[in-house]
Structures are given as C-alpha cells and as structure tokens.
C-alpha cells in the first residue's frame, strides 16, 4: 500500500497548497465568496460537475448499481437532469442578478422581508449537506489507513475547513478542478473499464445476474419520481449550486458551461451503476451495498491505480463538502447574522473586513460540521430531512418568483412556512424516509403561495421594475468584472 499512501498524501498536500494560493487571490468579498465572478467555461463546467457529484453520487451511486443494476443510475441521473434544467432555463437570469445568496434573490424579487426565514431553511439544508459529506471521510480513510471513525472525520474535515477558510471560493474552485480531473480519470477511465473486464464483460454480467438488473426502470417508478422531486428540484434552488452559478464570468458561461456539466453527470451516473453491477457479479453477498465501491477498489485494482481511484472518491467527497461549507457560512453570515445585527445592504465595513468576517464564519461553521458529524449516526435520515425542508419550503417561492409576476412577499412567506411545517409534521407521521412528506408538503406550499398571493396586494411596481432591471443585467453594486490573465479565454465557434 506504500504507493497508494504516497498518492493520497500528495493529493491531500496539494489541496492545502491550493488553499494557500487561493488566499492570495481573495482580496474582496466578491473574490472570497464567488471567485470574483470570473470563471470561464472550462473552469465553470469542471467545478460545477465536481460539487454536484459528491460521495453520495460516487459511493452511493455504485451501491445503488450493486443493489438494483443499471437502474441504480437514476439517483445521479436526476441530479444531472436538475443541473441541465437549471443551466438551460434559469442560470443566465440568476447570474445576471449579481447577488451572493438565494435569500438576497428573494428579497430583490419580493421587496424584502422574505430573506431571514428562507435563510434559516437554506442554512439548515447546507449544514446537513456539509455534515453528511464530512461523515463520508470515515468510510474512505478506514479503507486507506484503517483509522477510527472520529479520527477520519477530523482529518478529512480539517483539510477541507483549512483550504476553504484560507482562500474561500478561489481555493475551492482550484481544488475542485483538480478533483474533477482526478474523478474523471479514477472513476470513468480506470475503475469503469477494469470493473467490467474483471466481471467478464457485459455478456458474462448478463448471464450471471437476473434480468431485472438490466431493466431501465427496475428500481421502481415511485422511487424515480421521488428522486426527481428531491434531487432534480433540489438542484434548481440549493445555495451550494447557486453560489457556483454566481461565479460565472457571463450569463452565457453559466448556461452552456452548466449544460456541459449536467451532461457529464449523466455519463457519471451510468458509470457508477455499471461499476456496481460488475461488483455484484464479483461479490454477490456483500453485507451492505455501499461497501461495493471500497471492496472492488481494494481487491481488484493494482497498486498506484488503487490509490488514484481512492483519491477520486476522496475528491468527490471533498468537493461537495467544501461547496456545502462555504454555502452554509455565506448564508449564516449574510442572511442570518447580518440581519440580526440590523445591517443593511449598504454596510459600513470595508471589503477586507468582510473577507475576514466570512473567513471567520467558514471556520466556525466548519468546526460545527465536524462536531455534528462525529455525533451523528444516521446519515441518510439527516440528508433526507435537509432535502425535504429545502424542496418543501423553498422550491415554490423561488421558482414562483422567477416565473410568476403576481407572486407576493406574503405568498412567499406563507409557502415557506406552510411547506416547512407540513414536511416536518408529515415526516413525524409517515416516517423520515417516506415519500409522502415531500409530495404533500410541496402541494401545500404551492397552494399557500397561490392563494395568499392572489388575496394580497400585488408586489409594488417599483420593486418589480428594479427586479426586471437586475434580471436584464443592469443595476447592482458590482461592476462587470474583467477576466484575469490566468483564466482560459472562451472558445468561439
């Protein structure tokens, strides 16, 4: 394992070095939180793909392939569909708003007052997303170094918190690009073909497994529908995803770069399912489906390659963890703490002070994430609660604000409150992992939004006019940034 250890240690050291490099680039709030809004198509596509394809997409995706066969691709597939929908239909308008958080968008659209409650819901979602990503370190470091669970979480979490705190979004962007390359080589170019060959090829796999393993809808229609509601719609409204949209140099970069990333996700989904199916042939009686990834890597890959593929899994976890962490800290500082202190959009702090403040919040939130990850046992339930609250409480007011001009701030607040309370109550009734909470919670949120908006006064014409100006790319506090010399120029056909 010496070669594998060397690969992993070099990888982790490079993450810290890039964090230090990013610190030199993060001179303003815009640099620290959204990489100066300067990313071109290649970096934008790579970093967007990196953040959405985390440990659940890699380890969990292979596990679903082990359990259900090719239809196990549906979870990651719906993530890709959500990213495609966001990129094609909404990302250009989102990028032109020049804001930092989803709650700021809601305040712009509805004329204030919607930000705090939506910020609390979004903060809870990003916190749980960061926690569940951090817990995944335990699985990977256990395979690598046979570390105890707590030590593995502290080691992985400390590295992510360190480079995220140092350079903010610039550090995360550079590390995500490296992680994207490592994942592509490790999972798509190495593990996928090796797993299929070790399993005897597709003909042998079909002969060894039941026919259901090769049916596109084998996982079940209701499960696929639930994945669409949770993951496809979750991609449309999550702060962690929107914050990456805000990094795009132009609205065209956001649209087409995101489309490339979404397409990549579809290929990654199929690859994970095929790897899991091959693992089922090789190891038909594993105690847990999620052990399939680590088992096939540990037993079937040669040294060096094994280290690179495990680094790919580590990259998947770290990219999601760092993206969720900076999103959590951004919401906590800008949407909750600043409002509680009574700060307005025109702050008296200098840019340097704002960088220090956001850096401090990443450090604080990072420490909280590590501690919660150590204390928490049921990862699936925590992530389900987070996504149910996100979709049930925020999907309707966010998409309603983008698509329906008659929506009002009262309707938005009612949608958040009714949707959130309904989801919590239904989870208590049906169970956290049941499908009904998100189904009925979303319907209740939609009904509250439409009814309350129609019975209250329309949004002030001046607010809507200012909103349309921002959607058109005019207005806002930031000037259009110039692309840095180090960023590749966009390719024109």
């Amino acid at each position: 394992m010496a070669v594998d250890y060397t690969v992993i240690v070099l990888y982790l050291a490079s993450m810290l070095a890039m964090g230090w490099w990013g610190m030199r680039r993060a001179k303003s709030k815009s640099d620290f939180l959204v990489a100066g809004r300067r990313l071109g198509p290649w970096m934008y596509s790579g970093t967007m793909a990196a953040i959405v394809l985390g440990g659940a997409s890699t380890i969990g995706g292979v596990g679903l392939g082990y359990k259900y066969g090719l239809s196990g691709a549906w979870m990651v597939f719906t993530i890709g569909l959500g990213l495609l929908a966001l990129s094609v239909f909404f990302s250009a308008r989102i990028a032109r708003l020049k804001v930092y958080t989803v709650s700021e968008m809601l305040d712009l659209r509805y004329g204030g007052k919607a930000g705090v409650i939506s910020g609390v819901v979004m903060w809870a979602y990003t916190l749980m997303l960061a926690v569940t990503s951090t817990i995944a370190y335990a699985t990977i470091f256990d395979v690598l170094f046979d570390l105890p669970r707590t030590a593995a979480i502290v080691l992985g979490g400390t590295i992510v918190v360190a480079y995220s705190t140092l350079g903010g979004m610039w550090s995360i962007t550079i590390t995500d690009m490296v992680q994207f390359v490592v994942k592509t080589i490790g999972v798509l170019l190495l593990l996928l073909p090796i797993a299929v060959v070790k399993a005897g090829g597709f003909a042998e796999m079909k002969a060894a497994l039941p026919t259901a393993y090769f049916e596109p809808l084998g996982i079940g229609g209701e499960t696929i529908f639930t994945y669409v509601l949770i993951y496809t719609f979750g991609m449309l409204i999550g702060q962690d995803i929107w914050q990456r949209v805000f990094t795009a140099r132009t609205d065209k970069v956001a649209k087409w770069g995101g489309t490339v990333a979404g397409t990549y996700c579809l290929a990654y989904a199929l690859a994970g399912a095929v790897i899991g199916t091959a693992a089922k042939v090789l190891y038909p009686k594993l105690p847990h489906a999620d052990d399939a990834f680590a088992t096939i890597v540990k037993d079937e890959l040669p040294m060096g390659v094994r280290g690179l593929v495990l680094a790919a899994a580590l990259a998947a976890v770290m990219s999601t963890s760092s993206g969720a962490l900076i999103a959590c800290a951004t919401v906590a500082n800008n949407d909750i703490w600043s409002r509680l202190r009574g700060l307005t959009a025109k702050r008296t702090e200098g840019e340097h002070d704002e960088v220090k403040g956001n850096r401090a919040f990443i450090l604080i939130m990072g420490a909280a994430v590590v501690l919660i990850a150590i204390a928490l046992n049921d990862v699936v339930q925590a992530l389900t609660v987070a996504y149910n609250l996100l979709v049930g409480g925020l999907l309707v007011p966010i998409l309603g604000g983008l698509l329906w001009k008659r929506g009002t701030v009262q309707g938005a607040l009612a949608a958040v409150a009714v949707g959130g309370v309904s989801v919590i109550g239904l989870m208590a009734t049906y169970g956290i992992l049941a499908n009904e909470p998100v189904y009925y919670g979303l319907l209740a949120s939609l009904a509250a939004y439409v009814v309350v908006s129609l019975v209250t006064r329309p949004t002030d014409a001046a607010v809507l006019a200012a909103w349309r100006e921002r959607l058109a790319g005019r207005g806002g506090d930031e000037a259009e940034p110039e692309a840095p010399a180090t960023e590749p120029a966009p390719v024109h056909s």
Side-chain angles (χ1 to χ4, degrees), residues 316-334:
V317 176
M318 294 180 84
S319 57
T320 300
S321 181
S322 59
L325 176 59
I326 193 171
C328 177
T330 301
V331 171
N333 187 20
N334 291 268

Side-chain angles (χ1 to χ4, degrees), residues 237-462:
I237 58 175
Q239 170 67 26
D240 52 326
I241 309 302
W242 277 43
Q243 199 156 343
R244 296 309 173 97
V245 176
F246 300 150
T247 66
R249 180 195 299 159
T250 66
D251 55 358
K252 289 183 179 180
V253 168
K255 182 175 182 178
W256 298 113
T259 301
V260 170
T263 305
Y264 177 90
C265 291
L266 303 184
Y268 200 89
L270 184 59
V274 172
I275 293 167
T277 305
K280 183 67 174 180
V281 174
L282 294 168
Y283 313 98
K285 295 183 179 181
L286 289 177
H288 303 289
D290 283 346
D291 293 338
F293 180 88
T295 303
I296 196 170
V297 169
K298 191 173 183 180
D299 293 349
E300 303 296 336
L301 300 185
M303 65 177 182
V305 174
R306 179 172 50 211
L308 183 59
V309 173
L310 286 172
L314 193 58
V317 176
M318 294 180 84
S319 57
T320 300
S321 181
S322 59
L325 176 59
I326 193 171
C328 177
T330 301
V331 171
N333 187 20
N334 291 268
D335 293 337
I336 300 175
W337 176 244
S338 294
R339 295 169 193 266
L340 291 176
R341 292 175 58 197
L343 298 179
T344 64
K346 297 181 178 297
R347 304 184 181 191
T348 58
E349 300 176 60
E351 285 288 298
H352 180 67
D353 291 332
E354 291 203 54
V355 171
K356 287 174 61 178
N358 282 293
R359 184 173 281 138
F361 264 86
I362 290 182
L363 188 60
I364 293 168
M365 291 296 106
V369 163
V370 170
L371 292 175
I372 295 171
I374 291 171
L376 196 63
N377 289 320
D378 200 322
V379 181
V380 175
Q381 289 196 1
L383 192 59
T384 301
V385 171
Y387 267 105
N388 282 352
L389 281 173
L390 176 71
V391 174
L394 291 182
L395 178 67
V396 169
I398 292 172
L399 294 189
L402 290 169
L403 299 173
W404 191 40
K405 67 179 181 180
R406 184 61 180 84
T408 66
V409 65
Q410 293 88 352
L413 290 171
V416 175
V418 171
V421 171
S422 297
V423 163
I424 293 172
L426 290 166
M427 283 191 293
T429 302
Y430 287 98
I432 290 176
L433 299 180
N435 295 326
E436 287 84 357
V438 71
Y439 295 168
Y440 300 141
L442 195 54
L443 289 174
S445 178
L446 177 61
Y449 181 72
V450 172
V451 171
V452 175
S453 291
L454 290 176
V455 300
T456 53
R457 294 181 59 183
T459 304
D460 186 85

Side-chain angles (χ1 to χ4, degrees), residues 169-204:
M169 187 60 82
W170 268 120
S171 295
I172 293 171
T173 295
I174 301 303
T175 54
D176 276 0
M177 278 303 298
V178 174
Q179 290 158 357
F180 170 73
V181 172
V182 170
K183 279 192 287 192
T184 301
I185 295 173
V187 176
L188 296 183
L189 302 184
L190 291 176
L191 182 57
L192 175 61
I194 290 173
V196 172
V197 170
K198 291 284 187 178
F202 284 106
E204 180 62 29

